[in-house]
Amino acid sequence: MFSQQVYISRRTELKKNLKKGTVLLPGNGESGMNFKDNWYPFRQDSTLLYYTGINIPDVYFVLDIENDQEILFGNDPTPEEIVWIGPTTPLREFAEASGIKNIKPLSELADYFAKGAPTNKIHYLPPYRSETSVKLHKLLGMPIAEVNSKCSVSLIKAVVKQREVKQLEEVEQLRNAVNITAQMHTYAIQNGRAGKTEKQIAGDLQAIAIGGGGNISFPIILTANGQYLHNHASEKKLIDGELVLCDCGAETAMGYAGDMTRTFPVSERFTELQKQVYNIVLDAHNTAIEALKPGIKFLDVHLLASSRLVEGLKGLGLIKGDTQEAVSKGAHTLFFQCGLGHMMGLDVHDMENLGEPYVGYTDTLKKSDVFGLRSLRLGKELQEGFVITVEPGLYFNPYLIDAWKAEQKLSEFINYSEVEKFKNFGGVRIEEDFLITSTASKLLGDPLAKTVSDVEELINTSK
Amino acid sequence: MFSQQVYISRRTELKKNLKKGTVLLPGNGESGMNFKDNWYPFRQDSTLLYYTGINIPDVYFVLDIENDQEILFGNDPTPEEIVWIGPTTPLREFAEASGIKNIKPLSELADYFAKGAPTNKIHYLPPYRSETSVKLHKLLGMPIAEVNSKCSVSLIKAVVKQREVKQLEEVEQLRNAVNITAQMHTYAIQNGRAGKTEKQIAGDLQAIAIGGGGNISFPIILTANGQYLHNHASEKKLIDGELVLCDCGAETAMGYAGDMTRTFPVSERFTELQKQVYNIVLDAHNTAIEALKPGIKFLDVHLLASSRLVEGLKGLGLIKGDTQEAVSKGAHTLFFQCGLGHMMGLDVHDMENLGEPYVGYTDTLKKSDVFGLRSLRLGKELQEGFVITVEPGLYFNPYLIDAWKAEQKLSEFINYSEVEKFKNFGGVRIEEDFLITSTASKLLGDPLAKTVSDVEELINTSK
């Protein structure tokens, strides 16, 4: 946990922003896999973590703003339970470390709400686990189908306003997460050789994340089929000549995430063509990084990177015509179907559960619904203290190529006969994490091999 | 998947046993960690896997017995989704491999139940995920609080009757799972040396399970504090002189579990005292194995093993008096607080979600509620084809010792002054998995070092 003062001042700020009502933050419980007590690794709710730092299952935090009262609801293990689990930190110590004065047992929670103790508005965030929906349904006595729609937009906005600007302590945690993440990538680049299955390497990467004290921050993507964006690791064996796209991250024991991508050859060297495509992505990546600064819309950085991709694709003979026009018509989205990046923090897609309209956009800048831009999670102006990913890519997706070609979509910009030759190429992505500073940006974590020659050298130092 | 005939005949048997009604098996969905789309590894419901073999999220299987109709409800990915995830096996192929003739989209599921298509009784199993409770609540139109109590006992009994007797194909899967599990233990024994954290080793073990094609079958217990039964791996560094208790298992890609325990010294050799305690547990373990055969109550095997533990503890001077009397009074439960073993199959505690009264006991043999026996998951007569674990242990739990000593509990059997000296000893468990044969039992998987000398030799071959 951070110091008590960190949590107290976060809650003070929340009260100041929200002004009235009672905030109810239900913590996560254990989550059963194939029976109730066979648990997935416990993951606390990130907003509860942010305001209290308490990283144990089955607690609820209640903040009654008008009456300036804070209560932590939870149970200590019984003496019999301690026989089975051994010594644990008592709730009282967690509450103290977090600066919360009142602790009540879970048995009093229902009464607290049933008896109308909070006569003011009850603010809660939209639940993302059914278990939490059921908890809120029981506690607040509303039909389960209404739980989601009755969440508090003012609480969402207040939470986003705080969590989007990272504090120094948080940046330090994020840097740790990114450094463990870089270790995972170093291992993948050095060990992703022919004959191993994707899952074997992914398992080893997860071991590095767990050994770092936390776990993976999202399911590992490690695939020779990087053209499919949501592909994970399979039983497929790697083959010489393939490109491996590895997108993975660790989260620290406190829950802060890292998220990086490298693309590397199974053979010791990139082919000439792989090198050309890789360098187009790298150019877009570097161009985007140079543009990062407070006040710039991330949407504009996305479009800038897209224009660099188009320039590169023109060099390869896949795109023709005016670059800006090609970008504005979306010609690049045949190869770059997604967004340039997203917020990162206590969640790898930070605050995704609170909703993109609040996290990535504003009341005046709404997300576009056209193909490509509708997958851009972050569009709004950057601020000092934001932590974001920058992850351009080129994905030669045969399904999409066939579909566009069939209707000759944007054929004024796209050389389909040339594109056809890339249907087995795969995908390339390069991703790093950045802190927005007062004037520009700063790479989080120690640098990791990124150029063609550095990646090849890393492969060869492993021999 | 197994052959089509396996699934067809399992369902034929179910229909024969259950005779009437409509069986509804809801498959599991993806389970979000800290936001909806950041998923834990997908784990299918084991009963759905058993009857259909279909290992993908968000399918429902309906079996209308009177009308002899089988329907698989599910959706194929849309063309747009395929752009993101790449090629997938269509539902039709899954249904065919499983011998199910009818496929309907999920959009028709609500209507199927709302329009009263099944006018007969609807059988479903008790849900263990809130998400499934919510699904059943919506589908069957009953209050969420009633979903659990209205599950079908006749379906539970019919499922247990089939799943508890393992078929040849299943034994082969279980053997694979146990062999991967043994690789995990070999690694732990060879690498569990001073200076590493428990979590570092646990991470490496998970990598072996993932590399085996599936994942871990339950959260890894790897701890220098084996006296606490439900302890997991922590950030604690191992220290020379400690004993490590490692209880872990892999599950295969098809979902079959392994579950073994070894206890080994962080130093290269056991101390004399560690050796003595270890050999008491080993004796109980071997005695129990020799007793395994169809027709014997596992409760009696548990008591037999307990009496061997008491004999050994008498040799150590911790217990005194008549062995059988000590066991019947529960004196051994100060050191062996749990059960000797459990069923194993598609779940590591097989069918735990269906309830111990049905899985481990019978209408005439009910589970005891006294300390010790109430933690014995399996008491009933063994049958040919059962797969079970045998896992005696000795756990020197300082909380329990203090509590018993304070009230001088069973002091006619327990030498508290001697026991006091063991409060820092830790815990020892030895666990293997067995198939009950027509006359006795057979160890599942290749043998792994189990005696003191074999474990020490394994440590030393790793240098």
Side-chain angles (χ1 to χ4, degrees), chain A residues 28 31-46 79-80 82-88 128-132 134 137-138 144-145 197 199-200 202-208 210-219 227-232 235 251 337-338 346-353 371 374-375 397 399-400, chain B residues 28 31-46 79-80 82-88 128-132 134 137-138 144-145 197 199-200 202-208 210-219 227-232 235 251 337-338 346-353 371 374-375 397 399-400:
Chain A
N28 286 335
S31 188
M33 296 190 285
N34 48 338
F35 50 92
K36 198 162 173 296
D37 290 338
N38 199 23
W39 298 331
Y40 285 117
F42 174 68
R43 182 52 163 79
Q44 183 58 291
D45 175 70
S46 297
E80 168 148 5
I82 286 178
V83 167
W84 299 96
I85 60 179
T88 61
Y128 50 90
R129 292 186 178 193
S130 294
E131 165 207 322
T132 311
V134 174
H137 147 76
K138 287 182 184 164
I144 202 155
T197 69
K199 271 197 85 169
Q200 280 171 338
D204 289 343
L205 301 187
Q206 182 156 0
I208 296 169
I210 293 172
N215 210 320
I216 49 175
S217 54
F218 60 96
Q227 68 277 19
Y228 303 117
L229 287 160
H230 292 178
N231 218 351
H232 293 290
E235 288 290 283
E251 68 176 23
Q337 301 89 8
C338 56
L346 275 167
D347 307 302
V348 61
H349 292 165
D350 207 25
M351 303 174 278
E352 180 159 308
N353 61 312
F371 184 77
R374 71 170 173 246
S375 300
N397 185 312
Y399 291 90
L400 197 64
Chain B
N28 285 336
S31 188
M33 295 190 285
N34 48 338
F35 50 92
K36 197 163 176 297
D37 290 338
N38 199 24
W39 298 331
Y40 285 118
F42 173 68
R43 181 53 162 80
Q44 183 59 288
D45 176 71
S46 297
E80 168 147 6
I82 286 180
V83 166
W84 300 97
I85 60 179
T88 61
Y128 49 91
R129 291 186 178 193
S130 295
E131 166 206 320
T132 312
V134 173
H137 147 76
K138 286 182 184 165
I144 201 156
T197 69
K199 271 196 86 169
Q200 279 171 339
D204 290 342
L205 301 188
Q206 182 156 1
I208 295 169
I210 293 172
N215 211 321
I216 48 175
S217 54
F218 61 97
Q227 69 277 20
Y228 303 118
L229 288 159
H230 292 177
N231 218 352
H232 294 289
E235 288 290 284
E251 67 175 26
Q337 301 90 9
C338 56
L346 275 166
D347 306 303
V348 60
H349 292 167
D350 206 25
M351 302 174 278
E352 180 160 307
N353 60 312
F371 185 76
R374 72 170 174 248
S375 301
N397 185 310
Y399 291 92
L400 197 65

Side-chain angles (χ1 to χ4, degrees), chain A residues 156-448:
Chain A
I156 291 175
K157 287 185 171 176
V159 170
V160 169
K161 190 178 167 186
Q162 285 189 265
R163 284 183 54 190
E164 70 184 3
V165 178
K166 270 64 184 176
Q167 299 168 304
L168 287 179
E169 304 89 347
E170 296 189 278
V171 172
E172 203 45 52
Q173 279 287 320
L174 288 163
R175 191 170 284 129
N176 292 346
V178 174
N179 280 334
I180 301 166
T181 301
Q183 287 171 34
M184 295 163 75
H185 282 283
T186 301
Y187 181 94
I189 293 169
Q190 292 189 324
N191 293 277
R193 299 289 83 75
K196 289 207 182 163
T197 69
E198 294 172 356
K199 271 197 85 169
Q200 280 171 338
I201 303 166
D204 289 343
L205 301 187
Q206 182 156 0
I208 296 169
I210 293 172
N215 210 320
I216 49 175
S217 54
F218 60 96
I220 292 170
I221 295 172
L222 188 139
T223 176
N225 288 293
Q227 68 277 19
Y228 303 117
L229 287 160
H230 292 178
N231 218 351
H232 293 290
S234 76
E235 288 290 283
K236 180 193 147 31
K237 281 189 181 170
L238 299 181
I239 299 168
D240 271 321
E242 290 180 329
L243 278 181
V244 177
L245 188 154
C246 176
D247 185 348
C248 69
E251 68 176 23
T252 63
M254 285 182 69
Y256 285 88
D259 181 6
M260 295 173 71
T261 306
R262 286 293 185 271
T263 308
F264 57 86
V266 176
S267 312
E268 287 158 30
R269 307 257 164 221
F270 289 85
T271 65
E272 268 316 302
L273 188 62
Q274 286 170 346
K275 208 179 286 189
Q276 285 176 352
V277 174
Y278 189 95
N279 281 329
I280 295 170
V281 177
L282 185 60
D283 170 57
H285 180 81
N286 288 330
T287 304
I289 295 165
E290 282 160 32
L292 297 176
K293 61 178 179 186
I296 195 168
K297 283 198 189 77
F298 196 68
L299 170 63
D300 291 335
V301 185
H302 170 87
L303 294 171
L304 174 65
S306 301
S307 72
R308 294 306 308 164
L309 293 176
V310 166
E311 281 292 317
L313 291 165
K314 280 163 73 172
L316 272 186
L318 303 187
I319 287 190
K320 58 195 173 187
D322 179 70
T323 298
Q324 290 319 312
E325 213 186 322
V327 170
S328 67
K329 296 264 173 68
H332 61 291
T333 65
L334 177 56
F335 313 100
F336 180 45
Q337 301 89 8
C338 56
L340 183 68
H342 52 79
M343 298 272 205
M344 193 178 82
L346 275 167
D347 307 302
V348 61
H349 292 165
D350 207 25
M351 303 174 278
E352 180 159 308
N353 61 312
L354 303 184
E356 277 176 7
Y358 309 108
V359 178
Y361 292 84
T362 65
D363 288 346
T364 50
L365 181 71
K366 304 284 183 191
K367 194 164 83 160
S368 163
D369 59 2
V370 306
F371 184 77
L373 285 180
R374 71 170 173 246
S375 300
L376 179 62
R377 297 171 196 279
L378 175 63
K380 70 186 181 186
E381 279 183 15
L382 302 180
Q383 287 179 46
E384 183 178 354
F386 279 18
V387 167
I388 59 166
T389 68
V390 174
E391 46 180 312
L394 287 172
Y395 313 103
F396 298 91
N397 185 312
Y399 291 90
L400 197 64
I401 291 169
D402 286 348
W404 282 38
K405 191 181 173 189
E407 49 175 301
Q408 286 291 303
K409 190 169 167 183
L410 296 176
S411 57
E412 65 274 33
F413 295 109
I414 294 168
N415 283 324
Y416 282 106
S417 57
E418 287 302 309
V419 169
E420 195 66 28
K421 300 175 190 163
F422 281 77
K423 276 166 71 176
N424 291 315
F425 181 90
V428 172
R429 175 161 67 250
I430 305 170
E431 178 185 19
E432 288 176 323
D433 309 316
F434 296 88
L435 169 70
I436 305 302
T437 63
S438 61
T439 55
S441 74
K442 190 169 170 6
L443 176 71
L444 276 181
D446 306 321
L448 171 71

Side-chain angles (χ1 to χ4, degrees), chain B residues 360-375:
Chain B
Y361 293 85
T362 66
D363 288 347
T364 50
L365 181 71
K366 304 284 183 191
K367 195 165 81 160
S368 163
D369 58 3
V370 307
F371 185 76
L373 286 180
R374 72 170 174 248
S375 301

